[in-house]
Amino acid sequence: TRAPISNAQISTVNFSATTDAQGQYTIRIPRGTYTLAAQSDGYDLTHTELSGDDLFTRSFAVDFVLQPSRLTVSVRDSETQQLLPNVQVVAGDKSLATNGKGVMELRGVKTGTSFAAQSSGYLPVAVVYDGQGDFDLSLTPNTANLSVVNKYTQQPIAGGKLLLNNQ
């Protein structure tokens, strides 16, 4: 949207600055050629080359256009590691679902954004994004498939009962 980004970090070797509410900054550039980098939470790092060698030009205008970062989240069964399609995920204030392959892509996710996922047959899970990049949400099944079998033949016993906690 080309809107100003406040609190973006602008840096080069030994010097740094933070943008103000209007996205403006001032940084000292000594003589020499430097890479000037800009980054902000939820945006990709970008950089440009800048020369401070021109003695007559001591004021430079460098505008950065930061692109929202891209984050891929995969939702898996914690036991089988299989991807789970169509799982409902809440990321911050957005409600989304994984695609048919169990994956979703988001843009501009900031550190501290909460993620919660739930699906039928699984325990819900919640995590807080710490800026680590792409990640998996692992859902733990909340059901168990059990069979009562003959100890010697390993054949299922029709009408067999399973007691949990002597009940």
Side-chain angles (χ1 to χ4, degrees):
T1 63
R2 300 197 62 92
I5 299 172
S6 63
N7 296 314
Q9 300 299 309
I10 312 298
S11 61
T12 189
V13 177
N14 297 325
F15 296 97
S16 65
T18 302
T19 59
D20 61 19
Q22 289 76 37
Q24 301 290 314
Y25 67 97
T26 301
I27 189 169
R28 186 171 168 205
I29 303 293
R31 293 184 74 187
T33 301
Y34 298 93
T35 299
L36 190 60
Q39 62 185 12
S40 186
D41 191 21
Y43 293 88
D44 289 333
L45 172 70
T46 188
H47 59 274
T48 189
E49 296 296 317
L50 183 65
S51 175
D53 284 335
D54 187 350
L55 294 176
F56 298 106
T57 306
R58 298 308 298 159
S59 178
F60 304 92
V62 179
D63 290 333
F64 289 96
V65 177
L66 298 180
Q67 299 297 320
S69 59
R70 184 182 344 205
L71 174 67
T72 301
V73 178
S74 302
V75 180
R76 298 181 183 274
D77 180 301
S78 67
E79 293 180 1
T80 67
Q81 296 304 307
Q82 294 295 314
L83 291 168
L84 300 172
N86 308 313
V87 173
Q88 293 300 308
V89 178
V90 175
D93 60 356
K94 297 176 184 167
S95 182
L96 310 150
T98 59
N99 64 19
K101 295 181 180 180
V103 177
M104 59 191 295
E105 186 176 284
L106 300 98
R107 288 193 157 284
V109 177
K110 296 189 180 220
T111 300
T113 299
S114 61
F115 281 78
Q118 63 183 32
S119 185
S120 180
Y122 293 89
L123 299 172
V125 65
V127 298
V128 175
Y129 180 63
D130 65 3
Q132 77 270 18
D134 298 344
F135 68 95
D136 287 355
L137 288 173
S138 294
L139 296 182
T140 303
N142 66 358
T143 58
N145 295 321
L146 305 171
S147 298
V148 178
V149 296
N150 181 298
K151 178 178 179 178
Y152 303 104
T153 66
Q154 299 301 310
Q155 296 298 313
I157 299 173
K161 293 184 180 182
L162 179 66
L163 299 177
L164 294 175
N165 297 326
N166 294 322
Q167 296 181 7

